[in-house]
Amino acid sequence: MKKLRNIISKPWAIVALLVLFSVVASTQSILRSPKQYTYNGENYTQTHYNNYVIFKSSFHHLQNNQDLYCLHLDEHWDLFKYTPTFAAFFGIFAYMPDWLGLNMWNLLNVLLLVLAVYYLPQPMDRYKKGLLLVICAIELLTSIQNAQSNAIIAGLTVLAFGLLENKKYLCATLCIVASTYIKLFGIVGFALFLLYPKKLRSALYSLMWAVVLFAIPLIFVGWEQYNFLLSSFISMLGSDHDASYGYSVLGWLHTWFGWNGNKFTIVGIGALLFMLPFAATKEYDNFTFKAKILSSLLIWIVIFNHKAESPTFIIAMVGVAIWFILSEKNWANCILFTLAFVFTTLSPTDIFPRSFRENIVNPYCLKGVACILVWAKINLDFALEYIRKREVEKTNEIAE
């Protein structure tokens, strides 16, 4: 046990493991034969790194004044669902051969998350940081096997938290603004700034970065085309909003209880519950309190996302890992963490028989339910701790 602890405490060992995961996943995707499928009576070919092809193609579509937000079935399956800024960013990879570009893209996801975790201040020592990354390793592999951007979102959010702890507001705001330009739910990360001073400065920095990143696509297109792309993007998001419930609170309510109500009502209630702990302003100097707010945020942006799919849960599992590492190891927390690790992290793997995944895990949103339970426990602990401290304060006032 001590030997294992020593290995986990060595950053080079963790980095080597995760880089190996990335290279193997990328190589496997490149070497696998493309899949054939039929859409509207026509046959199409799809690679096993389709998401990367979507991202790469979006840059060429941007350059060629094409609509980013329609199907391009001669190139890839599915829609591009990111901002024009993200399409411009992918110019970094667009001219690389796929074997190199995919490796670089997946390594960026992995290394940004690693950097963010190791940048966290005390009381997150090297062992706790290594343990966090080990807990998330399989979920990270699931994300990069799908060439997704979710590890970058998790990394940028955690890095912003570390930068805020070190009073580096300029870089922290860049992280949150950049995450928002990748996936819009990254905007929830701005809630972290409520925990820190210099709020006006942070707001001005955020506005500056938002303008800078907004303007980047104008390097490649004129304003008229850019305006068209923004309109097309908004239209696509409107159509996409009603498409599914995902492995989310909405999906859980739908599959377990047959609920088909207004999505905005549930998200609104979730937002209110998420914001309640911010009322404990006296705890803003407490690192553990703020880190658990970070955990709650990372889980929230997944479980209240109606499009939450399996690769998205690297974001939530980073939150679960931070919460568990910093929490009391009582029976309730240990059971909830075990459920999250088993049903969120392991359920998509071959440890679970395919029939069990298809008939139980997926239809009943078990991947999401485990994280929902952890998020509920985080908020319950916030409430109980607040009540306990209020009672102590009242007792002290009476004694005086």
Side-chain angles (χ1 to χ4, degrees):
M1 194 69 181
K2 185 177 179 180
K3 187 175 181 179
L4 178 61
R5 185 185 180 94
N6 288 337
I7 293 173
I8 293 174
S9 300
K10 297 181 186 298
W12 66 263
I14 302 301
V15 172
L17 173 67
L18 297 181
V19 167
L20 178 63
F21 275 17
S22 178
V23 172
V24 170
S26 301
T27 303
Q28 182 186 45
S29 294
I30 291 290
L31 294 179
R32 292 177 69 184
S33 299
K35 296 183 289 186
Q36 303 295 322
Y37 65 96
T38 302
Y39 181 76
N40 285 343
E42 295 188 44
N43 295 323
Y44 295 96
T45 300
Q46 176 182 320
T47 67
H48 285 272
Y49 49 97
N50 185 65
N51 286 312
Y52 175 79
V53 176
I54 293 174
F55 302 154
K56 183 182 76 168
S57 299
S58 70
F59 175 73
H60 297 302
H61 298 155
L62 182 71
Q63 274 191 316
N64 296 331
N65 287 316
Q66 295 173 267
D67 187 357
L68 300 178
Y69 305 105
C70 65
L71 288 172
H72 296 272
L73 293 176
D74 56 324
E75 301 175 46
H76 55 73
W77 170 251
D78 210 351
L79 292 167
F80 177 72
K81 300 176 182 178
Y82 299 73
T83 64
T85 299
F86 184 73
F89 163 77
F90 236 82
I92 298 170
F93 305 95
Y95 293 102
M96 295 181 185
D98 284 356
W99 67 266
L100 178 60
L102 180 61
N103 269 286
M104 293 299 100
W105 168 242
N106 282 336
L107 281 171
L108 175 62
N109 275 262
V110 168
L111 294 178
L112 182 58
L113 180 59
V114 169
L115 170 66
V117 169
Y118 279 112
Y119 190 73
L120 289 171
Q122 293 291 344
M124 291 292 288
D125 56 29
R126 287 188 175 184
Y127 171 70
K128 290 178 180 177
K129 294 172 184 177
L131 181 60
L132 192 162
L133 290 168
V134 168
I135 289 170
C136 297
I138 297 175
E139 199 65 56
L140 178 59
L141 179 61
T142 298
S143 181
I144 59 178
Q145 281 177 326
N146 288 272
Q148 285 279 12
S149 61
N150 298 302
I152 287 181
I153 300 295
L156 287 171
T157 307
V158 174
L159 183 57
F161 176 80
L163 289 164
L164 286 169
E165 284 291 296
N166 286 288
K167 300 180 173 57
K168 296 182 179 180
Y169 299 101
L170 179 63
C171 293
T173 53
L174 173 59
C175 288
I176 299 301
V177 173
S179 71
T180 304
Y181 272 93
I182 297 173
K183 288 194 173 181
L184 291 182
F185 58 62
I187 198 171
V188 181
F190 282 109
L192 292 174
F193 292 98
L194 298 175
L195 302 171
Y196 299 89
K198 311 293 184 183
K199 293 178 177 58
L200 178 59
R201 180 186 298 181
S202 295
L204 293 174
Y205 284 155
S206 298
L207 180 61
M208 178 193 73
W209 287 124
V211 171
V212 170
L213 295 184
F214 178 85
I216 287 176
L218 292 171
I219 298 172
F220 305 99
V221 298
W223 173 249
E224 184 177 350
Q225 173 66 9
Y226 195 16
N227 188 51
F228 164 76
L229 290 176
L230 293 175
S231 297
S232 184
F233 179 52
I234 293 169
S235 177
M236 182 274 297
L237 290 179
S239 301
D240 191 54
H241 185 268
D242 297 324
S244 71
Y245 291 108
Y247 297 131
S248 64
V249 171
L250 297 163
W252 167 60
L253 292 173
H254 175 70
T255 57
W256 285 40
F257 307 105
W259 184 88
N260 293 299
N262 191 299
K263 295 180 180 180
F264 293 106
T265 301
I266 297 301
V267 174
I269 293 171
L272 177 62
L273 293 174
F274 167 68
M275 292 303 299
L276 284 178
F278 286 83
T281 55
K282 293 181 181 179
E283 299 294 324
Y284 284 12
D285 292 328
N286 182 332
F287 174 83
T288 300
F289 173 84
K290 290 182 287 186
K292 288 183 179 179
I293 289 283
L294 172 65
S295 299
S296 175
L297 186 154
L298 290 166
I299 299 171
W300 192 96
I301 60 180
V302 176
I303 65 173
F304 285 94
N305 175 11
H306 72 285
K307 295 298 292 180
E309 53 187 358
S310 185
T312 316
F313 277 81
I314 178 58
I315 303 171
M317 278 306 296
V318 171
V320 170
I322 293 172
W323 160 75
F324 183 68
I325 287 168
L326 294 176
S327 294
E328 178 186 354
K329 304 303 182 289
N330 55 42
W331 66 268
N333 289 347
C334 290
I335 289 174
L336 286 173
F337 171 73
T338 301
L339 287 174
F341 189 76
V342 170
F343 287 107
T344 301
T345 295
L346 298 181
S347 64
T349 69
D350 290 336
I351 292 176
F352 281 72
R354 179 185 292 272
S355 60
F356 185 75
R357 295 199 304 269
E358 293 178 349
N359 297 317
I360 302 295
V361 174
N362 296 339
Y364 291 98
C365 294
L366 295 186
K367 188 175 179 76
V369 169
C371 287
I372 294 169
L373 292 174
V374 170
W375 186 77
K377 180 60 163 57
I378 292 172
N379 284 276
L380 176 62
D381 287 345
F382 276 135
L384 293 176
E385 183 65 13
Y386 179 78
I387 292 170
R388 185 189 68 80
K389 289 190 175 183
R390 289 289 294 169
E391 290 178 347
V392 170
E393 289 175 0
K394 288 181 181 179
T395 300
N396 291 339
E397 288 173 2
I398 293 172
E400 291 175 359

